[in-house]
Amino acid sequence: MNRNYYQTHQLTLAQHPSETHERVMMRLVAFALHANEERLSFTRGISTDTEPDLWQKDLSDQIGLWIELDQIDEKRIKRACGVADQVVIYTCQPRNALPWWKQMEARLKRFGNLTVAAIDVISDCRIEALLNRSMQLQCTVQDNTVHLSNSSQSVELRSRSLM
């Protein structure tokens, strides 16, 4: 709402066999947080080590935005920062994110085009409860808060900057 972006998206989300339902939904949340970026698209993501979860490429195939979920290693971050104009990492697992962040924080400050944020579920409903084969979801993003709902349930999440 604070971006004045109102749009309907028809998306296809493929789930890798090793990917949890929660992670699939977090990819959708990451899309929502950047949906006003033209040409934002899902990639092969977890099934390859050469592509992020989402990216935005321009017409000349240059990567403007590289979005990763979870705690990735420094080598991958360095590569992403070298090929993309802007890199965003969202940590989605609070229990694992804090130790990863404490270990990586000092080393990641050298990347000027890197943003690291945590996505926290702040409602009682689990985000994977919204997942089904043909989802119809409504999403509102305002002031780093994402409200995602279907006809019977809703989840509220907050994005907070770590770096």
Side-chain angles (χ1 to χ4, degrees):
M1 293 179 73
N2 52 348
R3 296 179 290 176
N4 294 319
Y5 180 78
Y6 306 92
Q7 190 60 262
T8 299
H9 294 276
Q10 292 196 6
L11 305 171
T12 300
L13 283 158
Q15 183 176 4
H16 188 273
S18 67
E19 189 173 32
T20 65
H21 295 319
E22 179 184 25
R23 190 173 191 289
V24 171
M25 293 304 293
M26 287 299 186
R27 284 195 293 133
L28 186 61
V29 169
F31 182 91
L33 288 167
H34 297 273
N36 61 327
E37 304 288 340
E38 285 189 41
R39 304 178 59 82
L40 182 65
S41 62
F42 292 100
T43 67
R44 293 178 293 166
I46 202 169
S47 64
T48 179
D49 61 354
T50 59
E51 294 180 0
D53 291 296
L54 295 105
W55 61 16
Q56 175 199 4
K57 286 185 161 186
D58 64 18
L59 295 174
S60 64
D61 216 28
Q62 294 295 105
I63 303 169
L65 179 62
W66 177 293
I67 301 173
E68 292 271 3
L69 294 181
D70 297 325
Q71 300 80 41
I72 60 175
D73 63 42
E74 186 178 0
K75 182 179 176 183
R76 185 169 173 90
I77 294 168
K78 181 179 179 180
R79 180 186 177 282
C81 289
V83 299
D85 296 336
Q86 179 65 35
V87 176
V88 179
I89 299 172
Y90 288 110
T91 65
C92 305
Q93 300 171 347
R95 193 172 54 182
N96 298 334
L98 187 58
W100 173 83
W101 178 241
K102 285 183 178 184
Q103 178 186 8
M104 300 292 282
E105 181 179 15
R107 291 185 273 174
L108 297 182
K109 291 203 183 275
R110 66 185 166 132
F111 299 110
N113 62 338
L114 175 64
T115 302
V116 181
I119 298 177
D120 302 312
V121 177
I122 56 175
S123 60
D124 292 335
C125 183
R126 297 177 54 91
I127 191 166
E128 58 267 26
L130 299 176
L131 180 66
N132 65 50
R133 193 154 181 80
S134 58
M135 296 182 288
Q136 290 191 0
L137 301 174
Q138 293 75 42
C139 181
T140 303
V141 179
Q142 185 169 6
D143 299 327
N144 297 324
T145 300
V146 178
H147 182 81
L148 198 59
S149 62
N150 61 19
S151 60
S152 62
Q153 299 176 3
S154 66
V155 175
E156 193 170 352
L157 306 104
R158 183 166 296 129
S159 171
R160 60 184 167 87
S161 178
L162 299 175
M163 182 177 96

